[in-house]
Amino acid sequence: MTLSYSPDLLRKLFSMMCLIRFVEESFVEPINNREVLCPCHLYSGQEAIAAGLGVSLRSEDLAFGTHRSHGHYLAKGGNIDAMVAEIYCRETGCSKGRGGSMHLVAPREGFLGAAPIVGGTISLALGAAYAISVRRQKAVALSFFGDGATGEGVLFETMNFAALKKLPLILCCENNLYSTHMAIREMRHKPDIHDIAPPQGVASRQVDGNDVFACYEAGKWAVEHCKAGYGPVFLEFMTYRQRGHVGPDDNIQGTRTDIRPAEEIESWRKRDPLAVFEAHVLQNNLLSSAEIQQIKTETQKRVVEAHHKARSAPFPDGKEVSNFVFTN
Amino acid sequence: MAINEAIHQTMAQDPSVVLIGQGVKSPWYVGNTAAGLLERFGAERVVDTPVSENAMTGLTVGAAIAGMRPIAVHPRMDFMLYAFDPIINEAANWRYMSGGAMSVPVVFWGIINRGGEQAAQHSQAFHSLFAHIPGLKVVAPATPYDAKGLMVAAIQDNDPVVFIDERWLYSQVDIVPESLYSVPIGKAAVRREGGDLTVVASSYMSLLAYQAAEKLAENNIQIELVDLRTIKPWDKETVFSSVRKTGRLLVLDGSWNTCGLAGEIISSVTENEFTALRSAPARITLPDCPAPAARTLEKAYYPDTDTIITVARDLVKKPK
């Protein structure tokens, strides 16, 4: 199936995965040396999901994110300079230093915001789907959330209403097996999360979240399903975060709060979405290693540039702390 | 650790005391405050929950109505908003609605975790919101001694108590009595006596106020510091008698200005002790603005000892 993908699509998928990975990894040092203070929930390991979905989306499609949304923001078309500056909490950031890493926003690109209250944006995406439906737009709304959010009642309330009104809502559950530091298997009666959707009238699929092609296909199907008027879709992406719940390593073996078994971390590391992609395209002669290297080099340059710009930008002026509370 | 000791001792003494909430078995969540509880009392009485604040808090309310004494812990108070319905509609009203037939001995323990550029949803202090609700008691300790004593009192109280503490206070170290003691709900503590100005504070603001008072004393300004300890019912008599002594009032509130605790205290003092006041009361609060991320904005947003010193000096200077 992947053999039919155009080189352009392959480059897009890989560039986005690289961009997300390199940005995330570029923050490890600034976090560790406390240049970046705001809580950063790194997306390393989960890039295939955002990248795979992103190529099927247009700016009129509306998405909401979570605490771990650097990847969602970028894949939805958000500007990298504005995101990096926001993580440094500078005036030039996408939220003008008021929000930090957990409150990214790119309205023109259809990324309407992100918030760390678990499940907090699920019903907001329902509202966006409703708005799209009322306005008779050919567009979809996306809600990104994690496995932990399946504990919140609002998810079930949202699914029922979206199905009832056949709203164009894609519920993207990224199951990285841990709700912060707690194993999701210890918090759910049944492990298969995608099974919760059909009883609510929501079409559902489980997807390999480390395989960008699978993510791309699932996203394409979901968008078509919604745009055809068939109602909401639930996608459970099986994946794993390579970094801590918050910060680079708060959940890695050997640290104070580790809970994840070393073998588990290692087995998922072998299925790194970027490495899986590279191996596949090289094996099948879909992209050359020179092309891959070029994408990596260019992307790395872009990331370094964004850090330079952010670091030289000013912090917000303390006198302006109360700006933006109301419109006027 | 003082809170941890309170829970250990009350759980050992009373089998109906249980601890329920997110991350009670993870050191990452409530820090040391839950240490050793799971090992000692088992997973039936120390329950780690899914991220289901509404239902889990409702469970503690229901269990309390059914005769238990649960503690519902919310490691981050912002997430407690999901549980407003069981806390306010159910727990706070239950006793009254049943004509006193039922009571709800539950503790809603919310931890404020702010600063560090965590921004608007990881910063909020809701003591005034809870204090607004009839049927809820609200306590907010500032010292390790009070943390233990008020937690014990909250657990032993027959009505719903919202116990609010701040991570900014967790670095305070003190030796607390090993015995199972309680600090009475509704009783303030005068942390420092002085004749120039009454400063009323609670929780972390009490700590700042104490530091400010020490510095002001070097300039011969004597602060009388009233640490409320209980936000509701707050200790009117202790505050009033201090104002009668000093004639001046400054209230410090670690949350927003409008319709807040500081406004409540000032209006009560004005209503009851108007003639004792030698100058208009003042308050230091957060601005009516969500918590920002950037460190420069946080510095402007959160009052510090310098803010208190400046306002206190100004108040004392005012002509009699």
Side-chain angles (χ1 to χ4, degrees):
Chain A
M1 190 163 65
T2 59
L3 299 173
S4 62
Y5 292 164
S6 72
D8 182 50
L9 174 63
L10 296 173
R11 275 193 290 268
K12 264 190 196 158
L13 291 170
F14 189 60
S15 299
M16 185 50 71
M17 285 202 291
C18 283
L19 182 65
I20 299 170
R21 171 67 57 85
F22 294 171
V23 169
E24 296 303 65
E25 294 302 307
S26 74
F27 275 109
V28 170
E29 206 190 310
I31 293 168
N32 284 337
N33 68 25
R34 300 189 55 77
E35 205 181 337
V36 164
L37 291 181
C38 70
C40 287
H41 304 76
L42 301 176
Y43 196 62
S44 295
Q46 304 182 202
E47 299 87 348
I49 300 162
L53 288 172
V55 292
S56 300
L57 302 175
R58 306 284 165 269
S59 60
E60 58 268 27
D61 297 318
L62 306 174
F64 285 91
T66 64
H67 53 293
R68 196 183 308 286
S69 269
H70 299 174
H72 307 144
Y73 166 98
L74 290 171
K76 194 66 187 65
N79 177 276
I80 181 178
D81 293 330
M83 181 181 97
V84 171
E86 188 58 36
I87 297 168
Y88 278 98
C89 288
R90 305 303 164 113
E91 186 67 29
T92 51
C94 60
S95 307
K96 298 199 166 58
R98 269 71 178 176
S101 162
M102 301 191 290
H103 299 288
L104 301 176
V105 67
R108 266 186 314 177
E109 289 79 14
F111 191 74
L112 301 191
I117 299 297
V118 177
T121 58
I122 295 173
S123 57
L124 308 188
L126 177 70
Y130 167 74
I132 287 167
S133 163
V134 168
R135 297 193 296 237
R136 306 276 187 274
Q137 288 173 296
K138 275 275 175 225
V140 301
L142 281 96
S143 169
F144 289 101
F145 53 92
D147 44 284
T150 59
E152 300 286 11
V154 69
L155 173 60
F156 295 82
E157 297 167 29
T158 295
M159 286 194 287
N160 174 60
F161 191 80
L164 182 70
K165 303 291 180 188
K166 287 204 183 321
L167 298 178
L169 176 65
I170 304 176
L171 295 157
C172 307
C173 176
E174 298 184 51
N175 183 356
N176 65 18
L177 312 185
Y178 288 84
S179 170
T180 64
H181 293 239
M182 321 305 290
I184 193 68
R185 65 177 181 277
E186 292 175 23
M187 303 181 122
R188 292 189 51 78
H189 172 56
K190 287 182 176 170
D192 279 330
I193 287 173
H194 61 278
D195 284 348
I196 66 177
Q200 310 293 328
V202 179
S204 172
R205 275 191 192 177
Q206 192 177 43
V207 184
D208 179 349
N210 280 32
D211 175 355
V212 75
F213 301 114
C215 296
Y216 165 72
E217 290 296 337
K220 210 170 109 200
W221 167 73
V223 168
E224 282 164 9
H225 182 99
C226 283
K227 285 188 178 171
Y230 298 139
V233 169
F234 189 103
L235 300 174
E236 179 193 13
F237 296 96
M238 302 309 295
T239 189
Y240 202 73
R241 58 175 159 72
Q242 294 180 351
R243 293 287 181 178
H245 161 66
V246 57
D249 64 358
D250 74 332
N251 205 11
I252 301 296
Q253 286 287 308
T255 61
R256 182 176 68 88
T257 52
D258 66 344
I259 47 160
R260 305 195 302 180
E263 318 80 68
E264 184 183 277
I265 295 173
E266 197 38 46
S267 77
W268 279 92
R269 211 174 267 288
K270 285 186 189 137
R271 301 196 42 236
D272 180 293
L274 277 74
V276 167
F277 176 95
E278 274 185 59
H280 181 83
V281 292
L282 288 175
Q283 215 165 36
N284 294 286
N285 291 317
L286 300 172
L287 288 179
S288 71
S289 58
E291 281 176 292
I292 284 178
Q293 196 47 52
Q294 195 197 352
I295 290 173
K296 285 184 176 174
T297 310
E298 281 170 8
T299 309
Q300 190 59 42
K301 215 179 119 208
R302 190 72 190 87
V303 169
V304 171
E305 219 177 270
H307 277 269
H308 281 314
K309 285 186 194 167
R311 283 188 170 117
S312 57
F315 277 106
D317 185 341
K319 287 196 280 294
E320 297 183 351
V321 64
S322 292
N323 287 10
F324 313 117
V325 177
F326 292 111
T327 313
N328 48 41
Chain B
M1 287 313 281
I3 296 174
N4 180 255
E5 198 169 275
I7 299 173
H8 266 283
Q9 291 176 351
T10 45
M11 285 187 77
Q13 189 198 46
D14 180 351
S16 69
V17 178
V18 294
L19 177 68
I20 294 176
Q22 282 169 45
V24 293
K25 70 180 182 189
S26 163
W28 186 81
Y29 273 92
V30 279
N32 292 328
T33 48
L37 292 168
L38 182 66
E39 294 78 358
R40 182 170 173 195
F41 299 106
E44 205 172 48
R45 290 181 65 197
V46 180
V47 183
D48 201 6
T49 74
V51 195
S52 309
E53 295 83 356
N54 186 336
M56 293 303 109
T57 308
L59 176 154
T60 61
V61 174
I65 293 169
M68 308 281 289
R69 287 188 180 272
I71 307 162
V73 57
H74 294 268
R76 208 179 257 292
M77 199 178 197
D78 313 74
F79 288 81
M80 210 166 162
L81 296 187
Y82 268 129
F84 255 34
D85 183 71
I87 295 173
I88 296 175
N89 268 328
E90 316 303 348
N93 290 334
W94 209 260
R95 180 172 169 80
Y96 187 82
M97 291 190 300
S98 64
M102 308 298 295
S103 61
V104 191
V106 60
V107 180
F108 305 114
W109 173 17
I111 301 170
I112 302 167
N113 183 350
R114 53 182 162 183
E117 300 193 337
Q118 293 185 91
Q121 295 181 340
H122 278 36
S123 301
Q124 299 165 105
F126 292 123
H127 49 263
S128 296
L129 262 176
F130 287 116
H132 187 62
I133 307 302
L136 290 182
K137 296 175 184 175
V138 182
V139 300
T143 66
Y145 179 88
D146 285 354
K148 179 176 173 183
L150 282 170
M151 180 55 89
V152 171
I155 294 167
Q156 292 175 343
D157 200 276
N158 286 329
D159 292 311
V161 178
V162 180
F163 181 101
I164 299 173
D165 63 338
E166 282 232 25
R167 280 218 177 193
W168 276 349
L169 290 165
Y170 278 21
S171 57
Q172 281 195 93
V173 179
D174 202 358
I175 295 166
V176 304
E178 272 179 40
S179 62
L180 181 66
Y181 65 89
S182 66
V183 167
I185 292 174
K187 200 81 197 93
V190 177
R191 298 286 179 209
R192 210 180 174 291
E193 292 190 18
D196 294 326
L197 170 68
T198 298
V199 172
V200 177
S202 61
S203 190
Y204 181 67
M205 295 306 282
S206 290
L207 183 66
L208 287 186
Y210 192 82
Q211 292 162 357
E214 295 278 290
K215 285 191 188 166
L216 284 162
E218 292 166 16
N219 294 310
N220 229 5
I221 295 173
Q222 301 303 333
I223 300 293
E224 178 137 305
L225 172 57
V226 180
D227 175 13
L228 282 180
R229 307 201 283 188
T230 295
I231 307 287
K232 185 181 187 175
W234 62 278
D235 186 350
K236 289 183 179 169
E237 201 29 61
T238 299
V239 173
F240 291 173
S241 72
S242 178
V243 171
R244 283 197 292 271
K245 179 173 142 191
T246 66
R248 296 188 184 92
L249 174 65
L250 169 61
V251 185
L252 312 181
D253 187 347
S255 191
W256 300 292
N257 189 288
T258 302
C259 289
L261 173 65
E264 169 62 28
I265 291 169
I266 288 174
S267 60
S268 285
V269 168
T270 312
E271 278 170 351
N272 294 282
E273 300 294 342
F274 188 70
T275 53
L277 287 166
R278 295 193 278 175
S279 61
R283 55 183 151 169
I284 295 173
T285 68
L286 302 182
D288 281 329
C289 168
R295 60 204 77 175
T296 48
L297 299 175
E298 282 189 330
K299 197 171 174 341
Y301 185 74
Y302 293 112
D304 56 16
T305 48
D306 289 342
T307 325
I308 300 167
I309 289 168
T310 309
V311 177
R313 277 205 177 117
D314 195 42
L315 275 174
V316 172
K317 255 189 283 178
K318 278 184 184 160
K320 293 184 180 180

